[in-house]
Amino acid sequence: MPLQPVMMTDQSDDETDLGLLTKTRPKTQRPPRYKVLLLNDDYTPMEFVVMVLERFFGMTHAQAFEIMLTVHKKGLAVVGVFSHEIAETKVAQVMDFARRHQHPLQCTMEKED
């Protein structure tokens, strides 16, 4: 007796494909970002603030001067937005540098909204 060819249906493939189409991938969340802020005081020289901005935040002299004026006029300014670890490092570097030069310059960080 000759063998009859068996016809395969695409049903099982369709179901598998459908299953793949309906599965959702988990959304990856962007890690929280942190703003680094410089605060104004009445003792730290403006030139020192400009130097800090150039040295630790990679700003040009013109950019640093503008931010320094904002800190002076408004009391504080955001000088960058970074991951938690980088923001923490920047704050520590600025605070250490200011203390070593005997300036009361304050640098803080806060979570970005």
Side-chain angles (χ1 to χ4, degrees), residues 28-80:
T28 55
Q29 288 187 334
R30 194 172 128 199
R33 309 271 290 166
Y34 291 81
K35 297 185 284 189
V36 174
L37 304 118
L38 277 185
L39 295 107
N40 188 47
D41 64 73
D42 294 332
Y43 304 101
T44 305
M46 292 180 179
E47 296 81 18
F48 184 80
V49 175
V50 169
M51 180 177 54
V52 164
L53 292 168
E54 291 171 347
R55 182 174 185 155
F56 296 105
F57 298 94
M59 295 183 186
T60 65
H61 187 75
Q63 291 169 324
F65 191 81
E66 285 298 315
I67 296 290
M68 176 276 298
L69 286 178
T70 301
V71 171
H72 181 69
K73 292 176 183 174
K74 296 191 176 187
L76 63 91
V78 175
V79 296

Side-chain angles (χ1 to χ4, degrees), residues 30-37 78 80-84 87 109-113:
R30 194 172 128 199
R33 309 271 290 166
Y34 291 81
K35 297 185 284 189
V36 174
L37 304 118
V78 175
V81 180
F82 308 96
S83 68
H84 185 269
M109 63 187 261
E110 65 182 40
K111 196 170 186 177
E112 188 179 43
D113 297 331

Side-chain angles (χ1 to χ4, degrees), residues 1-38:
M1 176 173 205
L3 293 172
Q4 294 285 347
V6 178
M7 298 292 286
M8 297 293 287
T9 64
D10 289 335
Q11 186 176 1
S12 63
D13 289 340
D14 288 343
E15 287 174 7
T16 304
D17 290 344
L18 183 60
L20 289 176
L21 291 174
T22 58
K23 288 182 183 174
T24 57
R25 285 191 279 162
K27 289 189 178 185
T28 55
Q29 288 187 334
R30 194 172 128 199
R33 309 271 290 166
Y34 291 81
K35 297 185 284 189
V36 174
L37 304 118
L38 277 185

